[in-house]
Amino acid sequence: MKVNYRLKRLIFEVVDNQMALPETAFVKDKYEELLPKYGAKRAKEMIGAVLLREIYDMEVGNRYYDKIRYERLISELE
């Protein structure tokens, strides 16, 4: 599979922004939890995968952002 590095960079930027915001502190909490086990890059990739899934599901399902759902999906990362 070919990697879209531009998209990956943008998703990492969104994850970084979410970790800096108090409204999405759960993202930083989960990142810090994943960090010792997976390292910085993989932890961001895992969170980014959840973010992409949420964006995709919003688009396909023609629905708005659901913070509770997103937080639940992030919390399920191990």
Side-chain angles (χ1 to χ4, degrees):
M1 177 188 296
K2 188 174 180 180
V3 176
N4 184 333
Y5 291 103
R6 182 170 184 259
L7 177 60
K8 187 173 184 174
R9 189 173 55 252
L10 291 171
I11 292 298
F12 275 21
E13 186 176 327
V14 173
V15 171
D16 287 337
N17 289 341
Q18 288 182 343
M19 288 194 293
L21 295 172
E23 300 87 22
T24 49
F26 60 91
V27 175
K28 184 176 181 181
D29 294 342
K30 181 52 75 170
Y31 173 79
E32 290 175 353
E33 181 184 318
L34 297 171
L35 195 57
K37 186 173 182 181
Y38 296 103
K41 181 181 175 193
R42 183 67 184 130
K44 278 188 188 180
E45 287 173 343
M46 293 169 72
I47 293 168
V50 173
L51 174 63
L52 280 173
R53 175 182 167 188
E54 181 63 11
I55 292 169
Y56 176 81
D57 288 350
M58 286 169 49
E59 187 66 26
V60 170
N62 196 29
R63 64 173 179 78
Y64 292 103
Y65 170 69
D66 181 346
K67 182 181 176 186
I68 294 170
R69 180 179 190 274
Y70 182 56
E71 189 169 357
R72 180 181 51 80
L73 293 171
I74 291 290
S75 73
E76 291 173 356
L77 291 172
E78 293 183 8

